[in-house]
């Protein structure tokens, strides 16, 4: 059974089926330029639908390569957002178009809001499928309003009052090194960025870097005013790792030098049960659609999380980020801050 939002000629009709995101079959266009004119003409309708559903699947656009995608990006997301504090490997195709991720295909990517740990983050994400995988490889999404409703009241209250703490250790041997993450070879440049971005940083004798930052985990959408669960707390917590990998990392680096770790903002550690509960809330709110070449997925990065399913075969999903949002405009329940290790 499906439900649809009524529309007139030229205005998309959104079909919402159980377990799937809101979708529309777009009119037939011969070229991307024609499609972009149409997308520009329905901007207000798209924004209203995005506020309602959080993510929109557009099927049938003539997106055949990176250039076509960039044209659609400029129509849908004209204000671009820089990719800050990089955390996963990506390939750049130029013109602010990137691969969605270059992590191995057998690894699932858990739900997250892009750059939830930065002071300015993209309000909109745009994905498109240039090559569909043989099996799997969906980009699942979950409504953050629904996720918050599913978080137990006591855990949500702890997040509202304390926020969450992100601890990163940058290394050339695992995850990303600091030069890649901060796009500079200068220690002074990193220190200046961290000072401006309310991040504490510490160098070790082998040119390694550790950082800590306090961020709110519950914010409000600056346009709709709705409260959402917005963070990487479960995504980067060691309890979310496969148990064998978690034990190997702890043995190799110890609990204080993991590539990523999270806690509540007051330094209180999270239990396996806490993380399982958060991940279960994400899973219950998750919907997905199988990629087809030319598909475009528009995501409100505040209202909606995204992830990646494992896959087989070639998969080429491109992404662009835009509509930058200041954290200060989202009525955070906790003020962001640098957090020295001894203060936790």
């Amino acid at each position: 059974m499906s439900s649809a939002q009524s529309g007139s000629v030229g205005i998309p009709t959104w079909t919402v089926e159980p377990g799937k995101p809101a979708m529309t079959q777009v009119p037939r266009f011969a070229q991307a330029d024609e499609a972009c004119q149409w997308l520009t003409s329905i901007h207000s309708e798209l924004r209203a639908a995005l506020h309602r559903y959080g993510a929109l699947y557009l099927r049938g656009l003539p997106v055949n390569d990176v250039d076509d995608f960039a044209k659609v990006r400029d129509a849908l997301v004209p204000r671009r957002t820089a990719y800050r504090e990089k955390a996963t490997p990506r390939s750049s195709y130029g013109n602010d178009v990137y691969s969605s991720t270059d992590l191995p295909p057998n690894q699932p990517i858990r739900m997250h809001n892009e750059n939830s740990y930065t002071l300015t983050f993209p309000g909109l994400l745009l994905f498109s499928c240039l090559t569909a995988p043989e099996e799997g490889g969906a980009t699942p999404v979950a409504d953050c309003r629904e996720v918050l409703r599913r978080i137990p009241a006591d855990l949500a209250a702890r997040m509202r009052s304390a926020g969450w703490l992100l601890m990163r250790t940058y290394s050339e041997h695992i995850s990303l090194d600091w030069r890649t993450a901060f796009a500079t070879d200068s220690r002074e440049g990193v220190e200046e960025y961290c000072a401006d971005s309310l991040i504490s940083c510490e160098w070790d004798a082998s040119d390694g870097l550790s950082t800590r930052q306090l961020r709110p985990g519950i914010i409000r959408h600056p346009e709709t005013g709705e409260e959402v669960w917005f963070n990487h707390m479960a995504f980067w917590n060691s309890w979310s790792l496969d148990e064998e990998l978690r034990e190997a990392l702890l043995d190799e680096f110890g609990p204080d030098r993991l590539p990523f770790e999270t806690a509540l903002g007051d330094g209180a550690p999270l239990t396996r049960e806490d993380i399982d509960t958060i991940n279960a809330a994400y899973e219950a709110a998750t919907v997905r659609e199988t990629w087809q070449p030319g598909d475009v997925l528009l995501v409100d990065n505040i209202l909606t999380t995204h992830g990646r399913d494992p896959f087989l075969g070639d998969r080429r999903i491109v992404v662009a980020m835009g509509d930058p949002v200041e954290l200060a405009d989202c009525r955070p329940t906790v003020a962001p801050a640098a957090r020295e290790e001894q203060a936790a």
Side-chain angles (χ1 to χ4, degrees), residues 122-160:
L124 297 176
L125 307 175
L126 192 69
F127 298 87
S128 186
C129 177
L130 302 184
T131 303
E134 296 174 13
E135 181 180 324
T139 299
V141 292
D143 190 317
C144 295
R145 296 162 290 194
E146 178 65 19
V147 173
L148 179 57
R149 285 191 287 268
R150 292 178 177 274
I151 298 292
D154 60 337
L155 184 53
R158 292 163 68 194
M159 180 67 94
R160 281 194 185 90

Side-chain angles (χ1 to χ4, degrees), residues 83-90 100-104 107-117 125 127 139-140 142 144 147 151 155 159 164-168 175-176 217 229-242 245-246 249 258-264 270-272 274-283 286 301 304-309:
Y83 183 32
R84 298 179 175 89
E85 298 174 47
K86 298 173 184 177
T88 57
R90 296 181 192 266
S100 58
T101 181
D102 292 339
L103 288 173
Q107 293 183 12
I109 299 176
R110 291 186 180 273
M111 287 293 171
H112 61 286
N113 304 87
E114 198 68 32
N115 283 151
S116 74
Y117 46 92
L125 307 175
F127 298 87
T139 299
C144 295
V147 173
I151 298 292
L155 184 53
M159 180 67 94
W164 67 291
L165 186 64
L166 171 61
M167 296 152 282
R168 293 183 64 174
S175 185
L176 296 183
W229 184 261
F230 182 83
N231 57 78
H232 272 68
M233 191 165 73
F235 182 85
W236 276 331
N237 191 273
S238 59
W239 288 120
S240 285
L241 296 172
D242 172 83
L245 175 59
R246 180 177 183 274
L249 290 174
L258 293 175
F260 302 95
E261 186 59 286
T262 65
L264 286 168
L270 293 150
T271 66
R272 181 193 294 272
D274 290 332
I275 297 303
D276 287 347
T277 295
I278 296 169
N279 285 326
Y282 282 127
E283 183 60 33
T286 294
N301 185 46
T304 305
T305 67
H306 67 282
R308 188 198 71 182
D309 291 343

Side-chain angles (χ1 to χ4, degrees), residues 53-101:
Y53 298 115
L56 304 174
Y57 237 98
L58 293 89
R59 176 155 286 169
L61 287 169
V63 177
N64 299 306
D65 54 30
V66 170
D67 289 341
D68 289 340
F69 175 70
K71 292 176 181 178
V72 171
R73 182 270 318 278
D74 289 343
L76 291 175
V77 192
R79 291 192 304 141
R80 305 182 189 183
T81 304
Y83 183 32
R84 298 179 175 89
E85 298 174 47
K86 298 173 184 177
T88 57
R90 296 181 192 266
S91 296
S92 174
Y93 299 121
N95 200 13
D96 292 320
V97 176
Y98 300 90
S99 61
S100 58
T101 181

Side-chain angles (χ1 to χ4, degrees), residues 215-230:
R215 298 293 184 258
I218 296 176
I219 63 175
R220 289 188 179 273
H221 193 283
E223 295 181 53
T224 72
E226 294 167 292
E227 195 174 47
V228 297
W229 184 261
F230 182 83

Side-chain angles (χ1 to χ4, degrees), residues 245-256:
L245 175 59
R246 180 177 183 274
E247 291 300 327
L249 290 174
L250 287 171
D251 287 344
E252 177 72 18
F253 301 105
D256 298 327

